[in-house]
């Protein structure tokens, strides 16, 4: 393998999923014989390094030997040099010349995330993985890590040092930091995975092709951002308990890394909160069984949407009543009702868009708000008509009577609002039938 033998990218092997609205259906990769005949490795393991002249050679030799003896598919090991200033480039080049299936890639800028993005984006292998150069993770976990990706069961896979059956040897300081960081992820970003920063991960290439452009970080937070976005998009993440021994010579700067990670948590959390990420591009068809895709006329997700709509509705109603009471201090009932409805309608549409109907990103947001205002106009007509009828009947109703009438009118408008949102504003998108290329 030569230093600059990178392919021109995923398009080199004929994939066109970048232009599709959805990811293709997951499929089992070809068996060993078929994969070998194609000349393309099934697995590309990236080892990012920076000034690792001491550990690089024994690491690669050990990894190459393990894969040669135990891995049933064609593989490649890519040493990604992050602008090393010692003799790491010479060691990596010698390994690439000596061992079949090893290549060396030089990057002129530092950053583990940058190295992974560069190599993964340009690799032709259908399964992409990476591990730290110190090989702290027992290599016996490598096949269990990538097997769910090869079989088509999962989209990403991670090694976990915090799983119940994992066996870990490391100092109390690193253990505390790791668990505290994952607690922050769970509480702030609702992360469901257990270990964001274990240097032992894999991803299917068609997922990486869509996911990598959304990941901004080029350093240590790269892993976390990748996993959070994948999980929020509904992709399946497989976790493997690992045996892991801490490297006492690790050069990772804990304080600086922790600071950058917290900045990343804030940035990603803010982007998710405002719907700034097009996570719908990572959607998979519902199920891989053709019988699932053949079903017609079956309403999916109705119960979940009803629950979400009710929760949003209750909060919106409380918000509306609070605004009405506030506006009523300075204006008449009709103006107070119209102003409260307008403000709460915008918030209601945005909340239902994201939480009830799962629409992410900014595409169509203006159109959705315009349609939501039409729904608002219907609610305004119902509630304003009720207030007008109340005023005509009683002359000067009490504030409590006004609120009671408004609640009744809003309940009547709620059913119609849900039907309009579901059928008109946020209609269910049909899953396209996969073509022969999708299920290759």
């Amino acid at each position: 393998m030569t230093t600059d033998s990178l392919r021109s990218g995923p398009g080199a092997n004929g994939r066109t999923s970048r232009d599709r609205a959805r990811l293709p259906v997951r499929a089992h990769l070809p068996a060993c014989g078929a994969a070998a005949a194609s000349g393309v490795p099934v697995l590309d393991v990236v080892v990012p390094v920076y000034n690792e002249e001491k550990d690089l050679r024994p690491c690669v030799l050990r990894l190459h030997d393990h894969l040669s003896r135990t891995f049933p598919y064609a593989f490649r090991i890519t040493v990604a040099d992050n602008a090393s200033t010692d003799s790491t480039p010479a060691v990596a080049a010698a390994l690439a010349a000596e061992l079949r299936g090893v290549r060396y890639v030089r990057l002129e800028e530092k950053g583990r995330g940058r190295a992974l993005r560069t190599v993964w984006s340009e690799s032709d292998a259908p399964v992409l993985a990476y591990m730290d150069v110190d090989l702290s993770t027992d290599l016996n976990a490598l096949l269990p890590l990538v097997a769910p990706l090869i079989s088509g069961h999962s989209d990403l896979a991670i090694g976990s040092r915090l799983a119940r059956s994992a066996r870990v040897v490391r100092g109390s300081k690193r253990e505390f930091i790791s668990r505290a960081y994952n607690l922050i992820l769970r509480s702030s970003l609702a992360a469901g995975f257990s270990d964001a920063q274990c240097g032992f991960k894999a991803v299917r290439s068609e997922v990486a092709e869509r996911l990598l452009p959304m990941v901004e970080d080029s350093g240590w937070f790269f892993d976390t951002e990748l996993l959070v976005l994948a999980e929020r998009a509904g992709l399946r993440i497989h976790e493997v308990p690992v045996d892991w021994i801490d490297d006492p010579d690790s050069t990772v700067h804990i304080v600086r890394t922790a600071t950058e990670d917290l900045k990343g948590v804030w940035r990603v959390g803010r982007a998710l909160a405002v719907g700034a990420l097009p996570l719908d591009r990572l959607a998979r068809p519902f199920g891989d069984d053709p019988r699932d895709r053949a079903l017609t006329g079956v309403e999916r997700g109705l119960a979940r949407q009803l629950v979400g709509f009710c929760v949003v509705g209750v909060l919106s109603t409380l918000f509306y009543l609070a605004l009405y009471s506030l506006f009523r201090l300075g204006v008449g009932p009709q103006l107070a009702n119209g102003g409260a409805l307008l403000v709460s309608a915008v918030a209601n549409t945005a909340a239902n868009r994201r939480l009830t109907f799962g629409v992410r990103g900014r595409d169509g947001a203006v159109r959705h708000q315009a349609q939501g205002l039409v729904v608002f106009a219907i609610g305004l007509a119902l509630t304003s008509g009720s207030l007008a009828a109340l005023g005509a009947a009683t002359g000067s109703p009490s504030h409590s009577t006004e609120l009671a009438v408004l609640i009744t009118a809003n309940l009547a408008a709620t059913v119609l609002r849900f039907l309009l949102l579901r059928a008109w504003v946020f209609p269910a998108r049909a899953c396209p039938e996969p073509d022969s290329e999708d299920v290759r």
Side-chain angles (χ1 to χ4, degrees):
M1 295 287 178
T2 62
T3 301
D4 300 318
S5 60
L6 292 177
R7 295 178 63 94
S8 59
N13 61 7
R15 292 199 303 269
T16 58
S17 59
R18 184 186 300 278
D19 301 323
R20 302 189 192 287
R22 303 167 67 87
L23 282 166
V25 174
R26 284 190 301 265
H28 199 302
L29 297 178
C32 183
S38 69
V40 177
V42 170
L43 174 66
D44 193 348
V45 182
V46 181
V47 182
V49 293
Y50 173 71
N51 288 349
E52 296 288 355
E53 59 183 4
K54 175 183 176 182
D55 295 332
L56 179 56
R57 182 174 179 82
C59 158
V60 173
L61 290 176
R62 178 183 164 200
L63 176 59
H64 188 273
D65 175 70
H66 177 85
L67 289 170
S68 299
R69 289 186 297 102
T70 66
F71 195 67
Y73 292 87
F75 66 87
R76 177 194 296 140
I77 300 172
T78 301
V79 179
D81 175 23
N82 292 297
S84 293
T85 57
D86 62 1
S87 61
T88 294
V91 176
L95 287 167
E98 174 185 347
L99 299 175
R100 182 179 180 181
V102 175
R103 69 172 175 175
Y104 161 55
V105 177
R106 168 76 176 184
L107 291 90
E108 299 302 331
E109 295 181 89
K110 292 177 61 177
R112 180 177 68 174
R114 178 177 289 105
L116 294 178
R117 187 199 320 278
T118 300
V119 178
W120 281 357
S121 296
E122 298 175 346
S123 177
D124 53 356
V127 177
L128 311 167
Y130 97 88
M131 60 182 60
D132 292 334
V133 67
D134 54 24
L135 297 187
S136 295
T137 303
D138 183 6
L139 292 179
N140 287 326
L142 182 55
L143 184 56
L145 181 80
V146 301
L149 309 186
I150 293 174
S151 70
H153 174 271
S154 300
D155 297 293
L156 299 91
I158 65 173
S160 175
R161 300 163 295 185
L162 302 180
R164 180 167 297 178
S165 56
R167 296 188 299 176
V168 177
V169 178
R170 62 175 167 178
S172 57
K173 179 180 179 180
R174 286 182 177 269
E175 180 75 11
F176 172 78
I177 292 174
S178 180
R179 292 188 177 275
Y181 179 64
N182 282 281
L183 179 61
I184 291 173
L185 294 181
R186 288 177 179 272
S187 59
S188 61
L189 298 178
F193 45 86
S194 64
D195 191 352
Q197 292 189 316
C198 180
F200 197 68
K201 294 182 175 67
V203 60
R204 284 179 67 104
S205 60
E206 73 270 18
V207 174
E209 185 180 356
R210 301 281 187 94
L211 187 54
L212 291 178
M214 302 182 194
V215 180
E216 293 186 18
D217 192 80
S218 295
W220 291 98
F221 187 68
F222 175 89
D223 301 50
T224 301
E225 188 169 359
L226 186 84
L227 292 174
V228 169
L229 299 186
E231 186 176 60
R232 287 298 186 94
L235 298 180
R236 183 175 293 159
I237 301 174
H238 176 72
E239 293 198 20
V240 178
V242 297
D243 298 339
W244 195 87
I245 300 177
D246 191 14
D247 177 14
D249 298 325
S250 174
T251 58
V252 177
H253 193 290
I254 295 179
V255 175
R256 182 172 64 245
T257 301
T259 302
E260 293 301 317
D261 285 345
L262 293 177
K263 291 180 181 178
V265 170
W266 168 256
R267 174 176 55 78
V268 172
R270 182 176 56 184
L272 291 172
V274 300
L277 297 168
L279 298 181
D280 55 319
R281 296 183 66 243
L282 298 172
R284 288 276 194 192
F286 178 83
D288 295 344
D289 191 323
R291 293 172 297 179
D292 293 332
R293 300 190 293 278
L295 293 176
T296 58
V298 178
E299 295 289 342
R300 299 190 187 274
L302 179 59
R304 184 192 62 79
Q305 289 180 353
L306 282 172
V307 172
F309 181 79
C310 289
V311 171
V312 172
V314 169
L315 295 177
S316 296
T317 299
L318 294 175
F319 183 48
Y320 159 76
L321 292 175
L323 287 176
Y324 177 81
S325 299
L326 178 63
F327 294 161
R328 191 67 177 86
L329 297 176
V331 298
Q334 292 291 0
L335 285 177
N337 175 60
L341 268 179
L342 179 60
V343 175
S344 60
V346 172
N348 180 277
T349 300
N352 275 311
R353 182 178 189 268
R354 174 66 179 84
L355 301 177
T356 303
F357 299 100
V359 180
R360 301 178 175 90
R362 298 178 180 177
D363 292 345
V366 175
R367 174 173 57 83
H368 293 154
Q369 283 292 350
Q371 291 172 309
L373 289 178
V374 174
V375 179
F376 150 76
I378 297 174
L380 178 62
L382 286 173
T383 53
S384 296
S386 300
L387 282 175
L390 177 64
T394 62
S396 182
S398 65
H399 181 63
S400 59
T401 303
E402 287 181 353
L403 289 179
V405 169
L406 287 174
I407 291 173
T408 303
N410 270 295
L411 289 175
T414 296
V415 175
L416 182 59
R417 183 184 304 119
F418 177 75
L419 295 176
L420 287 173
L421 289 176
R422 180 177 170 83
W424 179 48
V425 183
F426 307 110
R429 292 170 292 183
C431 295
E433 289 292 330
D435 54 28
S436 59
E437 185 178 0
D438 282 340
V439 294
R440 62 188 184 282

